[in-house]
Structure formats: C-alpha cells, structure tokens
Amino acid sequence: MLQPGKALKQRPQYIIEKVIGEGGFGITYKARHQELNFPVVIKTPNSRLCRDANYPKYVEGFRKEGRTLAKISQNHHPNIVRIIDFFEEDNLPCLVMDFVKGENLYDLIQDKGILLEKIAIDYIKQIADALSICHQNGIIHRDAHPGNMILRESSNTVILIDFGLAGNVNSQSINQAANLAFAPWEQMLEMEKSASIDVYTLAASLFFLVTGHTPTPCLKRKMLNNDLIEPKRINSRISDRLNKAIIKGLELEHRNRPQSMKEWVALFPDVNNVETFHVKSLQAPLNNQELQLKSAVGMDYTKLQNYLKTGNWKQADEETRRVMIAVVKREKEGWLDVESIDNFCCEDLRTIDHLWVKYSNGKFGLSVQKRVYQGLGGTKSYDENKWNNFGDKVGWRKWGSWLYYQDITFDIKAPEGHLPSNGVGLFSGAFGRFCLVEGVVLLSIASRLVNCNI
C-alpha cells in the first residue's frame, strides 16, 4: 500500500494524503502534486490480495486497461475522468487521475431528493456516451453506479470515475447491500464480460435517480423469484416510456437487455415531451394552487404557505397538524382518526400536499410519504415490519427505536418524506408509542391520496 505523507519513489512530485476508497480489487488514494499544488487521485490494485492465485492476472488486467484508459483520455472526453499519468511503484501499477470537485449523484439524491425526469435523462445520457467510448475500446466499466458519477461543481457536467479495473471495486459512498442492487447477477459470478453489464448498472442508476430507491437486487430475483418493482410504482410521475426503458435495461438475463448503450438510450422518451409532461403535471398545478389555496371548507392556508416559503419547517409542521384537525372538526380530540381521514376533503388534502412538495422541491409531503411507503412494498394492510422499515427510511426511527418529537429534524437536509410528521396524526411523545395506530393512520391517508388522485 502507498503510505500517506510520503512521496512516491518513481514520481516524487506526488504526496499521498489519504485512502478515499477501498474495494475487493483496488485502492483509491487522494494525493497532491506538490510542485503544482493541486489534488489528484491515484488508483492501484489492492496489494493485500498478493497471495491470491489470481493476483498476477488482476495486476496484468489493471495494467492493460490502465493503458487503454490513458489512451482514451488523450481525446479529452468531457464525461470521463482525465488520466494524468500511469507508472509502476514497487511493481504496483499506479493510475493517476484528475480529482473531480463536486458531489456524487448517490449523495446528491440522499441529500436533496430525486431528480426530475428530464435532468436524470440528461445525466445518464452523458454517462452512456462515456461508456460507449469505453466499450469501443474493449473496456467494461463494471461499476457505473451513482457513487461513481460526480456532478462537477458549477456545471451540469457529470464525470464517470473509479473504473473497476480488472474487477468490481465497491465505492465508499454506497454500502455493500446497495452496491449489489446495481450489479447484474452474471457480473457477481464472473460469467459474462459484455456491454450489457454496464447497461444493467446504468439502468439501475437511472432507477435510483428518479425514485430514490435501488431496484430489487438481481440475486433475489434470480434465486428467490422476487419480482422487480417497476419505478413508476414508486414515482407515478415518470413517463411510461422511461419506465419501460429502465425495465428493459434491468432484464435479468443479459441476452434480453439492449446490447449497447446506443440501443438502450434509443428507448428513452424525447426530452422535449418529458419537459412538457413535468410542466403540466407538476409546476402549473402548484402555481395555481399557490395563488388560490383552495379549500372546500373555507380553511385559510396562508400561514402554512408563509412558513413553508421561509423554510420554517417546525412551524409548518405544527400548522399542518392544526389545519388538518380543523378541516375535520376534531379540535376537541386533538388528533385524526381513520373515519375522518377517509372523508377528508380532496381539495384541502391536495392544497396541503402541494404546498409541502413545492416548497421542499419534492422532498417532503404526504404524497412523498405515500410513495416511499409503497416503494417498500407497503399495501393497505398494516404490516409492522413494513411500518418499521418506513420509519427507518424517513428517519423517524434510529437504531431500532422510534424518535421523540423533539428529536425530529426540521431541516431540508432531513431524509426524504421526513416531514410533515404531525400531518399524519402523530402524537407528542415517542413516535412508536402508538405505532399500530399511526401505521393505520398513514395507510388511511395513503389510501385517501389515491382516491383523490394525488
């Protein structure tokens, strides 16, 4: 392993700073070119595998693909990380790359929520073009998941990084379980080395960008006969054509997938139609709703709107509870029951949800919570395990325990669906104290949202 704080013997201009990623076959370091004072990334095979019988094959594969990548890099493809240098240090091949400043798409979705369809398509098309060049030169990336896609600061350019040279290298940004959800089963068994591997991984990445969820892992589909949950079931706003393109890219058997990036991308919807779809289905209704703040019972939502506009999430959460209870005239009881939810005015429910969705940029809202719950396999029937999983997903549970209200995160950085909390009828005190009641309440609201076409 390269030692932090030390200059390399073959390239003394590089000082190793720290390890930034380690997988089964490779190690990635952040280093600094001390003469020019700029950061770089250096990748090497993992020397801990030196006793493995196949280690020489891994190293030779790394050398071969490293040289090919360096050759591709000479053409300066805008979406492939630039290779600066390639050399050997103590018989260990070292690939030196640009340090791309920005946020990877996995963390971006975790922090800020899912992308609009048009934006997601744009990002994935950039990566698909980069992969096409790699495939033409005999390189299969094997690891083109969102953790290895960097959105460059101050631009809409996405850079593909961290090639899985001579093997599959996990990213530090994605835990092992999530990483498996991006890989086709034949890659795990090293049965196939074709462009269809990258088609599957990129389709799984697109699934994640527009839903915030990873697709059903292929091994569960292969071994346990689990069904693939279609992305449109999680995010009903994506177009049918994109839904079909993602599903086709996620075909379990490689022979059934598109065999090239060009073939797969041809299945995408036209971005002009996608933009129209989003403007009509999202922006226009929200703007109309903002101006009119419709209510079938004469409820005034101005205060809720002002709280949300200014990012006062806690006050907005408390105001949401107040107005929802007032709409069904249960001020005396102070909470919502199933019957009142089943008869909740659609007009008012739509206004409340639209306000939350609009001012959180799609991260919070009753419809967001409904989508998250359905994405976990939730149905109209209460299931304690799924309710607990939902609590984990939206951040209402930590370390297996339900939070108290004072521990809720009233910040846009909170997990997707974290707010509103009181809006679903949660009591003060421990969330889990009435978890059965609350689960039924959430299911009732989800059902009412469906009935109201929200």
Side-chain angles (χ1 to χ4, degrees), residues 115-125 206 210 238 242 269-278:
L115 302 178
L116 286 177
E117 182 172 334
K118 179 183 177 181
I119 296 174
I121 288 174
D122 176 40
Y123 290 171
I124 291 299
K125 276 187 171 181
L206 183 51
V210 296
I238 67 173
L242 184 66
D270 181 80
V271 291
N272 293 323
N273 293 335
V274 168
E275 184 175 15
T276 301
F277 171 84
H278 278 295

Side-chain angles (χ1 to χ4, degrees), residues 26 87 92 101 178 180 242 249 343 355:
F87 61 93
L92 200 64
K101 194 173 182 181
L180 291 175
L242 184 66
N343 295 291
L355 286 172

Side-chain angles (χ1 to χ4, degrees), residues 178-393:
N179 196 58
L180 291 175
F182 290 100
W185 70 274
E186 73 271 13
Q187 177 183 348
M188 301 176 192
L189 301 180
E190 298 185 1
M191 293 175 58
E192 182 73 17
K193 185 180 178 182
S194 69
S196 66
I197 285 178
D198 287 342
V199 169
Y200 185 100
T201 303
L202 209 55
S205 299
L206 183 51
F207 186 110
F208 178 76
L209 297 186
V210 296
T211 68
H213 297 263
T214 55
T216 309
C218 59
L219 288 182
K220 287 188 177 181
R221 296 165 59 198
K222 183 76 173 176
M223 304 301 181
L224 303 178
N225 205 29
N226 286 8
D227 291 331
L228 172 68
I229 297 175
E230 295 187 8
K232 198 170 177 67
R233 279 187 56 191
I234 303 174
N235 180 2
S236 61
R237 289 178 171 134
I238 67 173
S239 65
D240 290 336
R241 188 165 177 179
L242 184 66
N243 187 63
K244 291 176 182 177
I246 294 173
I247 293 170
K248 190 63 179 175
L250 291 174
E251 284 280 358
L252 195 56
E253 304 301 333
H254 67 88
R255 62 181 176 274
N256 296 330
R257 295 175 217 138
Q259 297 301 298
S260 69
M261 286 296 158
K262 183 178 180 180
E263 183 184 344
W264 181 56
V265 168
L267 302 177
F268 288 9
D270 181 80
V271 291
N272 293 323
N273 293 335
V274 168
E275 184 175 15
T276 301
F277 171 84
H278 278 295
V279 168
K280 288 182 178 177
S281 65
L282 292 179
Q283 296 173 5
L286 291 181
N287 288 335
N288 291 338
Q289 208 60 260
E290 176 189 0
L291 293 173
Q292 299 177 32
L293 297 179
K294 293 180 180 178
S295 172
V297 297
M299 182 59 60
D300 183 3
Y301 292 106
T302 305
K303 188 178 289 188
L304 175 60
Q305 182 186 36
N306 290 336
Y307 284 143
L308 290 168
K309 264 186 178 180
T310 55
N312 290 313
W313 304 109
K314 185 172 184 180
Q315 292 92 328
D317 194 61
E318 293 169 350
E319 178 67 6
T320 299
R321 178 179 181 178
R322 185 192 71 78
V323 295
M324 289 188 76
I325 290 172
V327 165
V328 295
K329 302 187 185 311
R330 287 182 60 86
E331 294 93 336
K332 183 177 179 181
E333 292 83 356
W335 54 282
L336 301 173
D337 63 359
V338 172
E339 183 179 357
S340 64
I341 293 170
D342 288 343
N343 295 291
F344 204 100
C345 304
C346 290
E347 207 166 42
D348 290 78
L349 200 59
R350 187 174 290 107
T351 295
I352 293 168
D353 181 58
H354 279 179
L355 286 172
W356 274 97
V357 172
K358 178 178 177 62
Y359 292 110
S360 68
N361 196 26
K363 191 166 189 179
F364 304 141
L366 301 173
S367 60
V368 177
Q369 292 167 346
K370 178 197 75 171
R371 173 170 53 78
V372 172
Y373 191 78
Q374 290 177 335
L376 295 170
T379 64
K380 289 185 68 174
S381 301
Y382 174 77
D383 183 299
E384 184 177 357
N385 288 332
K386 289 174 182 175
W387 173 241
N388 288 341
N389 290 338
F390 173 79
D392 292 332
K393 184 70 177 178

